[in-house]
Amino acid sequence: MLRRLLERPRSLALLVGCQFAFVAYFSLGGFRSLASLFGRAAGPVFDYSRTHDVYANLSRLLPREPARPDPARPLPFCPERSPFLVGPLTVTFSRVPTLEQIQAKNPAVREGGRYQPPGCEPRSRTAVIIPHRNRETHLGHLLYYLHPFLQRQQLQYGIYVVHQAGNSTFNRAKLLNVGVKEALKDEEWDCLFLHDVDLIPENDHNLYTCDPWNPKHVSVAMNKFGYSLPYPQYFGGVSALTPDQYMKINGFPNEYWGWGGEDDDIATRVRLAGMKIARPPVSIGHYKMVKHKSDKGNEENPHRFDLLIRTQRMWTQDGMNSLSYVLLAKHLHPLYTNLTVDIGTDPRAARRAPAPGHEGQRHRSSTSLFREEMLRKPPRDPVAWGDRGLPLSPHRPPNGTQAAPGITQRSPKGAGDGGTNVVVRDEGMAPARGDNRSLAQGTR
């Protein structure tokens, strides 16, 4: 009987159509993405007309008495769902907070923007990596909201700001690759959150943890797009991957200079690596964007469509295994770790000869060497910070002293920024070309 059905043209066409629908269903990311395509994403319902202060009841998270760890008695795990979550948050940009104000509101945050919940063992260790250049106002807003947001989720976390030195065209994806590599030298992070500096989460039920099976696109409902997903394969804004998932897609592409294209390249890499895009419900993944004009040096990339055509052929060659950069300085602020890096220039732009003595040696690593290097832990520095705030830009050394390139720097106590001055040289580094206001004085 099956043979007779297959011999009929209508039955054969119906069978082919069903197969096509099945393939299309999974290529769109399964039921969750298909539902979002038709605007019927399932999930909890929140009333965003009733919002809460992001710092509400944050004092409940502070330890009431000094912690006395007992090695023979390990801490219990934090609950899977934190009891401190409040739901929709009030997010406004009428005032730009200073770092001193943010630091005063977050006394439990340690140097480098690190936090660990007191009284319980966190279920996730999350590194938040933010590509940055000339967005100090946006960074202030993000730090103000993100620190209490993450603390209420009872996560162990660290915030890394990867600053592109010089005046060459901005390269978001390459900066994220650098941030991932440097962050994984510090800690064995469970989850990597790749975060645009101008996006503020509006619901603390949007957990900053990774999906164990698939890369997760988190900013699914931005006010810029009317709080909906612009298209099924969109992967821009905020995303989360485990270190293994990041290596499986060979990281992010390095060749997208300027605005646009890299998000679609990453979504294609996820599919080619045999994974799908996971997402939180639209009702949870709400983000508000800080309004801004187009950036000089981050103009629309005219080559993005040509690069996207090459993705299927080049994704195994362009990424973490071809990453090259110069780490100019690593500066531990009270609220975040700043990485100032030279990532080179757009090879398609007009080439300029480098200034004498500024050639520098660049990192270049194969996949196997990188996996060894990223898991290597440097020795810990026990020096504590002072109580006063730091500016958003790296500190200028006092009394005309010069800071060596490729250093980890803490600001000197009594010089207006608090803390103790510790300098650790990172061999094989050289200063970048070009001027930048966020670059330490001695590295120009």
Side-chain angles (χ1 to χ4, degrees):
M1 184 176 178
L2 180 62
R3 183 176 180 182
R4 289 180 182 179
L5 288 173
L6 293 177
E7 288 176 354
R8 296 177 182 178
R10 290 182 181 177
S11 300
L12 184 61
L14 181 61
L15 180 61
V16 171
C18 291
Q19 290 177 335
F20 176 81
F22 184 82
V23 171
Y25 168 80
F26 283 101
S27 68
L28 289 171
F31 175 77
R32 185 178 296 172
S33 293
L34 195 62
S36 66
L37 178 64
F38 293 99
R40 298 195 307 267
V45 177
F46 291 95
D47 184 1
Y48 281 89
S49 66
R50 298 182 178 181
T51 57
H52 304 81
D53 180 9
V54 70
Y55 285 94
N57 299 324
L58 191 65
S59 59
R60 293 168 57 193
L61 291 169
L62 298 176
R64 298 184 180 275
E65 54 186 41
R68 297 176 182 176
D70 183 2
R73 194 175 178 185
L75 292 173
F77 278 102
C78 299
E80 292 187 12
R81 179 71 61 169
S82 170
F84 304 108
L85 303 182
V86 296
L89 303 171
T90 305
V91 177
T92 62
F93 307 125
S94 55
R95 295 181 180 179
V96 182
T98 66
L99 278 185
E100 289 79 7
Q101 292 171 337
I102 303 171
Q103 190 178 356
K105 283 180 168 289
N106 295 274
V109 176
R110 297 180 287 112
E111 60 176 350
R114 304 293 185 86
Y115 174 82
Q116 184 164 355
C120 65
E121 187 69 24
R123 291 181 178 270
S124 179
R125 299 187 300 273
T126 299
V128 181
I129 300 167
I130 305 165
H132 175 267
R133 187 173 65 181
N134 300 330
R135 294 282 195 92
E136 280 75 15
T137 298
H138 297 175
L139 183 58
H141 286 306
L142 181 58
L143 293 172
Y144 178 84
Y145 287 103
L146 195 57
H147 274 296
F149 175 92
L150 295 173
Q151 289 171 55
R152 275 217 293 271
Q153 295 185 4
Q154 294 185 296
L155 305 176
Q156 179 181 341
Y157 70 85
I159 295 179
Y160 293 83
V161 176
V162 191
H163 182 89
Q164 179 175 335
N167 300 314
S168 61
T169 306
F170 193 69
N171 190 325
R172 171 182 176 268
K174 191 171 185 179
L175 290 173
L176 290 172
N177 279 343
V178 173
V180 167
K181 181 171 181 178
E182 294 297 326
L184 288 172
K185 291 179 183 179
D186 291 345
E187 294 278 352
E188 292 181 4
W189 301 107
D190 301 325
C191 186
L192 307 168
F193 254 75
L194 301 318
H195 209 298
D196 281 358
V197 72
D198 56 0
L199 288 178
I200 312 299
E202 296 185 87
N203 191 326
D204 61 9
H205 285 264
N206 187 4
L207 300 182
Y208 272 39
T209 58
C210 280
D211 185 292
W213 299 283
N214 295 295
K216 182 167 73 170
H217 177 234
V218 187
S219 53
V220 297
M222 292 189 276
N223 65 333
K224 174 183 177 180
F225 300 122
Y227 290 109
S228 62
L229 193 66
Y231 54 91
Q233 292 302 296
Y234 182 66
F235 204 75
V238 183
S239 54
L241 300 90
T242 66
D244 286 342
Q245 291 166 0
Y246 202 86
M247 289 303 300
K248 194 172 181 180
I249 66 171
N250 193 23
F252 287 4
N254 297 314
E255 301 303 322
Y256 285 81
W257 299 86
W259 180 88
E262 78 279 359
D263 299 329
D264 296 318
D265 187 300
I266 296 161
T268 302
R269 288 169 181 247
V270 172
R271 177 177 57 82
L272 293 173
M275 296 181 288
K276 298 185 299 182
I277 298 174
R279 289 189 173 97
V282 172
S283 61
I284 288 179
H286 274 222
Y287 282 80
K288 183 174 286 188
M289 177 177 283
V290 187
K291 292 183 179 180
H292 59 89
K293 297 179 180 179
S294 59
D295 299 323
K296 184 178 180 180
N298 192 27
E299 293 82 8
E300 191 173 274
N301 181 1
H303 307 289
R304 63 189 185 278
F305 298 113
D306 296 332
L307 291 168
L308 284 170
I309 293 172
R310 304 179 355 172
T311 302
Q312 189 158 355
R313 185 177 75 254
M314 296 297 296
W315 73 280
T316 57
Q317 304 170 44
D318 174 24
M320 294 304 288
N321 60 359
S322 64
L323 178 64
S324 63
Y325 65 96
V326 177
L327 177 63
L328 299 176
K330 181 177 181 180
H331 195 105
L332 302 181
H333 291 274
L335 296 171
Y336 65 96
T337 297
N338 189 85
L339 304 170
T340 303
V341 296
D342 172 18
I343 58 172
T345 58
D346 183 358
R348 293 181 176 85
R351 297 181 180 275
R352 291 179 291 182
H358 285 238
E359 292 82 1
Q361 296 180 358
R362 297 185 179 275
H363 293 281
R364 188 169 289 276
S365 60
S366 66
T367 303
S368 58
L369 289 177
F370 169 67
R371 288 191 70 84
E372 279 184 38
E373 185 179 25
M374 74 179 190
L375 295 175
R376 190 184 306 143
K377 284 190 174 181
R380 294 283 180 184
D381 191 324
V383 180
W385 275 79
D387 294 326
R388 299 183 63 184
L390 283 173
L392 286 172
S393 301
H395 174 73
R396 296 177 181 273
N399 303 325
T401 57
Q402 299 292 313
I407 60 173
T408 300
Q409 214 178 358
R410 296 180 179 85
S411 301
K413 190 173 184 179
D417 290 322
T420 303
N421 188 40
V422 178
V423 177
V424 181
R425 181 175 298 277
D426 195 350
E427 298 296 336
M429 305 297 180
R433 298 177 293 277
D435 186 25
N436 192 281
R437 62 177 175 173
S438 294
L439 197 59
Q441 185 176 8
T443 58
R444 291 185 178 179

